[in-house]
Amino acid sequence: MSNTLSGQKPRVIVSKKVAPYVLLLPFLLVFVGFLIVPMGYAFGLSLFKTALVGGTRFVGLENYARAVVDPKFWDGVWLLVRFGLIQMPIMLSLALIFALILDSGMVYARSFFRVSFFLPYAVPAVIATLLWGYLYGPSYGPVAQLATALSLPKPDFFSPGAILGSLANITIWEYTGYNMIIYFAALQAIPGDLEEAAKMDGASALTYALRVKLPMIVPMIVVTVIFSIIGTLQLFSEPYLITNLARSVINSNFTPNYYAYTLAFVAQQYNYSAAISFLLGAVVAVFSYAFMLLANRGGR
């Protein structure tokens, strides 16, 4: 008869001290195998230089010194800063407004609208970009066809002055619902007693939202801003897929990630591409940390 049937306690195979590490082991294996090892390999590549004459040789930080003064890299960073100033405020503001409306109970079928707003995030970035590329099409796009039918000039979504707005519209459509769900979850965690107390004090719904709800979800807003900064500085899929429609505007160094991709897979400069990638990581860390400092000072 087994120990369980005989009333005895089952034998402990793993001690309590070791159990957490056993449970973490699958994650650690994936983390090390798909992040740490590739990063180590890429960093090793960045310390070498491959040439037709002389082959591969160790150059230390020479690739990084070249990357730091590379105007193509910094032009891409500056473009993404401008892109973020357009895209992030609109995206996060819309997400916050939608979350406040859903949380207030002002709409019926709240679950339907929540899923509808989140659905664009479930669409892969490649599909979303191709979809909007079709809508933007100067010849076959429905917007251009509608303008022709109304005898109006066709809008050029891929002109130098409009390309950032066109790309920003794609990312806003993709990620507004994702951020809205984060805000909505934070709002749902606010105790209902606070709303009852605010109503007893004569506060309106708008006053309660601005004076109580928003201050209580500031930490979550800070998190979404940091995520947005990281995602903005790593922009790649959208401009890469739009290139064929806007070759006169989007070049090989349009964004830092696009520049690193071109160096590696077009120019075969894997070593310098790795250095560019690590420099971009440093830039992302600096921007994120700077915003965290500003947010902490504002909180104090």
Side-chain angles (χ1 to χ4, degrees):
M1 185 177 294
S2 64
N3 293 335
T4 304
L5 294 177
S6 61
Q8 298 178 4
K9 293 183 178 180
R11 186 183 305 171
V12 178
I13 300 177
V14 180
S15 66
K16 293 182 179 180
K17 293 183 179 181
V18 180
Y21 300 100
V22 174
L23 295 174
L24 284 173
L25 185 60
F27 165 77
L28 291 176
L29 291 175
V30 174
F31 180 77
V32 172
F34 290 92
L35 183 64
I36 301 301
V37 172
M39 286 183 63
Y41 176 72
F43 181 72
L45 281 178
S46 69
L47 302 178
F48 290 84
K49 185 175 182 180
T50 302
L52 293 176
V53 180
T56 302
R57 58 188 178 87
F58 180 78
V59 294
L61 299 178
E62 181 180 316
N63 289 322
Y64 291 95
R66 175 186 169 191
V68 168
V69 295
D70 190 339
K72 292 182 178 180
F73 173 79
W74 293 111
D75 287 345
V77 172
W78 171 238
L79 182 137
L80 289 182
V81 170
R82 291 185 285 128
F83 172 82
L85 293 176
I86 297 172
Q87 182 254 2
M88 286 174 52
I90 298 175
M91 177 185 68
L92 297 179
S93 297
L94 287 175
L96 187 57
I97 291 172
F98 292 155
L100 288 171
I101 293 174
L102 289 176
D103 183 68
S104 66
M106 296 171 57
V107 294
Y108 295 101
R110 189 168 59 177
S111 299
F112 169 77
F113 285 104
R114 187 166 67 243
V115 173
S116 300
F117 289 136
F118 183 77
L119 193 59
Y121 178 72
V123 178
V126 174
I127 303 300
T129 305
L130 294 176
L131 172 65
W132 281 100
Y134 165 72
L135 296 176
Y136 289 155
S139 301
Y140 50 80
V143 178
Q145 293 179 7
L146 179 62
T148 301
L150 298 176
S151 300
L152 298 174
K154 296 180 181 179
D156 187 0
F157 294 104
F158 304 120
S159 65
I163 188 64
L164 286 184
S166 300
L167 292 173
N169 180 63
I170 298 175
T171 56
I172 290 170
W173 182 81
E174 286 182 282
Y175 297 105
T176 296
Y178 169 78
N179 291 287
M180 182 208 70
I181 292 297
I182 295 177
Y183 293 152
F184 180 72
L187 290 169
Q188 289 287 287
I190 298 176
D193 297 342
L194 295 178
E195 184 175 5
E196 296 178 4
K199 289 181 178 179
M200 292 179 63
D201 291 337
S204 63
L206 179 61
T207 301
Y208 175 67
L210 296 177
R211 298 294 181 86
V212 179
K213 287 184 176 181
L214 285 182
M216 294 194 70
I217 66 169
V218 163
M220 196 57 64
I221 294 176
V222 171
V223 170
T224 56
V225 172
I226 293 175
F227 286 168
S228 299
I229 291 173
I230 295 173
T232 297
L233 292 174
Q234 293 181 338
L235 187 70
F236 172 75
S237 299
E238 289 78 6
Y240 175 75
L241 294 170
I242 292 293
T243 300
N244 290 331
L245 299 173
R247 289 192 176 277
S248 61
V249 180
I250 299 178
N251 51 34
S252 60
N253 58 294
F254 189 74
T255 69
N257 260 340
Y258 200 163
Y259 186 36
Y261 171 85
T262 304
L263 287 170
F265 298 103
V266 178
Q268 307 297 315
Q269 299 183 36
Y270 300 105
N271 308 103
Y272 187 51
S273 174
I276 288 290
S277 299
F278 274 94
L279 181 59
L280 175 60
V283 171
V284 171
V286 169
F287 273 88
S288 301
Y289 185 69
F291 176 76
M292 287 181 63
L293 288 179
L294 291 175
N296 289 334
R297 289 182 179 179
R300 286 197 295 266

